[in-house]
């Protein structure tokens, strides 16, 4: 971990494919996408929920993708793994084809000098586990323990950086307080149980991580963390009530997802939530002690955008907002989107500066020595793929502006160990299906072989990695000429 990690991130159910082969069974995302399959008409808005059976077919094309990433110059690759591929039937049966796939994949990247950085669980519970209770039953702790033990044993030698879970905030709120994500078990009680069990899974993984170190499966210097999708708040006005609204927001959207993992206790807002809804749920003292005894080592941070927060929208008109304000009922605050700000084509706020102050807040809150890694930062777009050159200049501007702030924060003493952009190639997006382009590499989803092709952002990131982030802005014509030259040598081994 001496060198700064220039990485890209992706997620198994969005890229991997091979969902019904290699001994794999179904997960909650297989079931969800089949039951809710919807492709909006061309030119019409709407959430696309496409088929993930093949996705970008990383399952068959990981060697091609490893060559593409080696040419790019990555020294790390963040991958959200698939629990179901390794444990497709129950908590005891290890699928030999499933674990062999990950061994082969990790080995391939490791040989090319690209550190695999696994995230053990990202929203994709095995269907067998969900049927038996999922995150609503404490039995999931045993099931998960068996899974992580297997991962550490067989994959531990390939990497010294691990994460347990990813985006617990979005997952818990959109799957248990909303039906936007699977398993769509909407109730306050299910939400509370899910949150607590997600934290317990983190502590279990940490305990098994230390055991795996003692057995020699993992380097004694290896670290394991949790990845959080915190959008740092900005008070919409200088009004004292808006500042208090930001405090409420952080208590719920930051403290609830990091404090148990790093301090072993819950913020007051969680207990208030339990009391307010009269939930038959108690966090035991035994569980709190377990959390305290198994604290995580590393903060992963998915920074896409900050959020403006206000206590009231009285006096404003509909046309003051880019998109309608969102009322957070539990907190009695509003998340607002001022039209005066800059946004992506998917109406995501563009504001890199808040990354620096947010990083300082994390360091101040959880300790300046805690390593932090940006695990997701990227821009969803509608890339023009009709021409020979895919010129995604808006993505370059977005990424360069944010990476600049990461390096600036690092210079100011923040213990950033790496930056991993979202994402390596175009994949299935839970919010936009295959219409939402995030990748440095284009995937032709109409091609029988899902052909890969570099975009201008690929050449940009290649140059950034080569000069280790010292230069982030390049002449556009120079980049275009480099892309033209790259395409001339983009032979069958890269497609």
């Amino acid at each position: 971990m001496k060198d700064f990690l220039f990485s890209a991130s992706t997620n198994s159910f969005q890229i991997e494919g091979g969902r019904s082969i290699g001994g794999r069974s179904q997960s909650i995302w297989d079931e969800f996408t089949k039951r809710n399959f919807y492709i909006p008409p061309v030119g019409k808005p709407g959430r696309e929920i496409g088929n993930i059976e093949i996705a970008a077919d990383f399952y068959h094309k990981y060697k091609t993708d490893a060559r593409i990433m080696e040419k790019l110059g990555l020294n790390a690759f963040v991958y959200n793994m698939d629990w179901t591929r390794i444990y497709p039937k129950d908590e005891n049966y290890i699928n030999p084809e499933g674990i062999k796939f990950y061994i082969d994949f990790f080995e391939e990247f490791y040989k090319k000098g690209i550190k695999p950085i696994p995230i053990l669980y990202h929203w994709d519970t095995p269907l067998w586990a969900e049927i038996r209770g999922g995150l609503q039953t404490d039995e999931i702790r045993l099931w998960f323990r068996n899974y992580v033990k297997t991962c550490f044993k067989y994959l531990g030698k390939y990497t010294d950086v691990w994460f347990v879970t990813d985006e617990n905030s979005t997952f818990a709120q959109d799957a248990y307080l909303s039906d936007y994500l699977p398993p769509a078990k909407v109730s306050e009680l299910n939400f509370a149980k899910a949150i607590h069990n997600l934290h317990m899974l983190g502590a279990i993984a940490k305990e098994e991580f230390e055991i795996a170190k003692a057995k020699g499966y993992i380097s004694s210097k290896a670290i394991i963390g949790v990845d959080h999708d915190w959008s740092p708040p900005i008070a919409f006005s200088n009004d004292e009530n808006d500042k208090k609204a930001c405090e409420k927001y952080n208590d719920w959207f930051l403290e609830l997802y990091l404090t148990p993992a790093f301090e072993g206790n819950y913020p007051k807002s969680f207990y208030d939530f339990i009391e307010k809804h009269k939930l038959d749920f108690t966090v035991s003292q035994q569980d709190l002690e377990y959390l305290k005894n198994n604290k995580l080592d590393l903060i992963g941070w998915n920074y896409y955008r900050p959020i403006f927060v206000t206590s009231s929208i009285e006096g404003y008109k509909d046309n003051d907002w880019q998109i309608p304000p969102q009322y957070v009922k539990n907190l009695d605050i509003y998340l607002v989107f001022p039209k005066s700000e800059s946004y992506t084509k998917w109406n995501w706020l563009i504001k890199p500066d808040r990354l620096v102050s947010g990083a300082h807040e994390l360091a101040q809150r959880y300790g300046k020595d805690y390593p932090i890694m940006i695990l997701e930062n990227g821009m969803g777009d509608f890339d023009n793929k009709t021409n020979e050159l895919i010129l995604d200049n808006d993505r370059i501007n977005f990424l360069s502006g944010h990476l600049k702030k990461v390096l600036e924060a690092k210079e100011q003493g923040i213990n950033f160990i790496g930056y991993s952009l979202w994402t390596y190639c175009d994949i299935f997006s839970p919010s936009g299906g295959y219409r939402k382009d995030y990748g440095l590499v284009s995937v032709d989803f109409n091609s029988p072989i899902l052909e890969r092709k570099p975009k201008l952002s690929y050449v940009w990131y290649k140059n950034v990695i080569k000069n280790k982030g010292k230069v982030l802005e390049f002449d556009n014509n120079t980049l275009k000429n480099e892309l033209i030259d790259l395409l001339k040598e983009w032979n069958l081994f890269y497609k």
Side-chain angles (χ1 to χ4, degrees):
M1 293 184 298
K2 292 180 181 178
D3 293 331
F4 188 80
L5 298 172
F6 287 100
S7 173
S9 299
T10 194
N11 176 22
S12 58
F13 75 78
Q14 296 176 254
I15 190 176
E16 194 169 288
R19 302 293 280 186
S20 300
I21 59 178
R24 188 187 179 280
S25 65
Q26 303 287 285
S27 76
I28 59 174
W29 266 94
D30 296 291
E31 190 276 336
F32 180 82
T33 51
K34 290 173 182 176
R35 179 166 48 84
N36 296 286
F37 183 84
Y38 175 71
I39 308 297
V42 175
K44 298 287 184 181
R47 182 187 183 192
E48 176 184 300
I49 302 177
N51 190 310
I52 59 173
E53 186 68 31
I54 299 173
D57 203 19
F58 183 81
Y59 184 77
H60 290 108
K61 295 182 73 83
Y62 71 89
K63 290 185 179 181
T64 296
D65 290 325
R67 285 191 286 270
I68 293 172
M69 286 185 234
E70 182 182 33
K71 183 178 280 289
L72 178 59
L74 296 184
N75 59 3
F77 178 48
V78 176
Y79 196 86
N80 291 266
M81 293 179 60
D82 181 14
W83 179 359
T84 310
R85 190 173 295 286
I86 298 174
Y87 279 86
K89 188 168 67 173
D90 57 30
E91 69 273 28
N92 297 313
Y93 172 75
I94 301 172
N95 174 25
E97 286 299 303
I99 193 64
K100 186 176 183 298
F101 165 72
Y102 282 113
I103 292 170
D104 291 345
F105 149 31
F106 278 40
E107 178 79 22
E108 186 71 20
F109 279 70
Y110 182 78
K111 287 189 300 187
K112 286 180 164 48
I114 304 169
K115 183 201 301 285
I117 299 179
I119 301 179
L120 292 160
Y121 177 61
H122 180 102
W123 306 359
D124 202 7
T125 312
L127 196 55
W128 63 260
E130 192 62 50
I131 290 168
R132 291 167 60 183
L135 285 163
Q136 277 62 63
T137 174
D138 291 352
E139 287 184 76
I140 199 169
R141 303 176 189 182
L142 170 63
W143 308 338
F144 192 73
R145 185 183 295 275
N146 289 354
Y147 164 58
V148 300
K149 285 168 69 173
T150 299
C151 291
F152 296 153
K153 178 178 180 179
Y154 290 102
L155 304 174
K157 66 181 179 180
Y158 298 111
T159 182
D160 55 1
V161 181
W162 294 73
F163 290 89
V164 185
T165 52
D166 186 328
E167 297 191 333
N168 289 342
S169 171
T170 297
F171 178 40
Q173 299 197 56
D174 285 353
Y176 299 97
L177 293 180
S178 158
D179 62 359
Y180 188 79
L181 300 177
K185 292 182 174 177
V186 183
S187 84
E188 288 84 4
L189 180 59
N190 286 342
F191 171 78
K193 288 180 176 180
I195 287 295
H196 184 53
N197 270 327
L198 284 167
H199 283 304
M200 292 299 291
L201 299 188
I204 286 164
K206 178 60 186 298
E207 183 178 51
E208 291 298 335
F209 198 65
E210 295 303 320
I211 293 171
K213 283 183 182 180
K215 291 182 176 180
Y217 296 144
I218 296 175
S219 163
S220 61
K221 296 180 180 179
I223 52 178
I224 188 167
V226 62
D227 184 32
H228 182 39
D229 52 334
W230 176 52
S231 297
I234 302 171
F236 183 55
S237 74
N238 290 323
D239 186 275
E240 196 62 34
N241 288 327
D242 281 6
K243 294 177 184 177
K244 289 180 180 176
C246 285
E247 292 174 6
K248 283 185 185 179
Y249 174 94
N250 272 340
D251 200 54
W252 184 252
F253 286 99
L254 174 63
E255 298 272 349
L256 180 55
Y257 298 96
L258 289 187
T259 301
F262 295 102
E263 295 181 2
N265 54 61
Y266 282 95
K268 183 176 181 294
S269 60
F270 188 53
Y271 296 109
D272 289 344
F273 177 84
I274 293 168
E275 183 178 349
K276 177 182 177 181
H277 295 286
K278 298 180 172 59
L279 304 182
D280 183 18
F281 178 76
T282 304
V283 178
S284 72
Q285 194 60 40
Q286 183 180 5
D287 282 357
L288 289 175
E289 285 299 316
Y290 188 75
L291 289 171
K292 286 176 183 174
N293 291 332
N294 295 281
K295 298 174 185 175
L296 296 175
D297 313 313
L298 165 66
I299 297 173
W301 185 18
N302 295 354
Y303 182 95
Y304 287 95
R305 54 187 173 170
I307 195 77
F308 284 94
V309 177
T310 184
S311 61
S312 172
I313 56 172
E314 189 176 343
Y316 291 94
K317 301 175 183 177
D318 290 347
N319 61 7
D320 290 327
W321 314 116
Q322 179 77 9
I323 57 175
Q326 297 173 7
Y327 180 58
V328 184
K329 183 179 179 182
N330 184 54
L331 305 179
D332 191 26
I333 62 173
Y334 291 88
L335 312 181
V336 294
F337 310 86
K339 192 168 276 187
S340 56
E341 298 291 331
S342 298
Y343 294 85
T344 72
K345 294 187 185 75
W346 289 84
N347 286 323
W348 286 37
L349 179 66
I350 303 173
K351 209 168 185 68
D353 286 357
R354 191 65 176 91
L355 190 154
V356 178
S357 56
H360 281 285
E361 287 173 46
L362 288 175
Q364 183 176 9
R365 177 64 189 81
Y366 295 105
K368 63 182 178 63
D369 294 329
Y370 262 118
I372 304 174
M373 183 172 178
I374 296 291
L375 285 196
E376 291 185 27
N377 171 245
M379 190 188 76
D381 207 349
F382 298 100
D383 293 335
N384 182 355
K385 302 178 182 179
T386 58
N387 300 318
E388 178 63 15
L389 302 183
I390 303 174
L391 305 177
D392 55 339
N393 290 290
D394 287 346
R395 179 170 293 108
I396 292 173
N397 292 335
F398 181 96
L399 294 172
S400 62
H402 286 81
L403 180 52
K404 178 181 179 181
K405 295 302 176 182
V406 173
L407 298 174
E408 185 179 307
K410 184 173 171 58
E411 284 293 315
Q412 294 174 9
I414 299 298
N415 190 14
F416 271 124
I417 66 168
Y419 169 84
S420 193
L421 59 78
W422 187 269
T423 176
Y424 153 66
C425 72
D426 293 336
I427 54 175
F428 169 79
S429 165
S431 62
Y434 295 103
R435 297 189 302 155
K436 194 174 189 181
D437 301 311
Y438 269 106
L440 304 177
V441 174
S442 170
V443 175
D444 183 354
F445 291 105
N446 294 316
S447 162
I449 64 165
L450 298 162
E451 186 170 322
R452 273 68 162 142
K453 183 179 179 181
K455 305 175 189 178
L456 193 67
S457 58
Y458 177 98
V459 177
W460 169 81
Y461 200 37
K462 190 174 191 293
N463 279 282
V464 168
I465 295 170
K466 188 176 181 180
N467 70 53
K468 297 186 177 180
K470 293 175 183 174
V471 179
L472 300 177
E473 296 179 4
F474 306 92
D475 175 72
N476 199 51
N477 287 327
T478 301
L479 290 180
K480 283 182 6 183
N481 289 331
E482 287 186 26
L483 180 58
I484 291 169
D485 290 341
L486 181 64
L487 288 171
K488 290 176 183 176
E489 60 183 64
W490 201 260
N491 60 31
L492 59 93
F493 295 102
Y494 298 97
K495 293 181 178 180

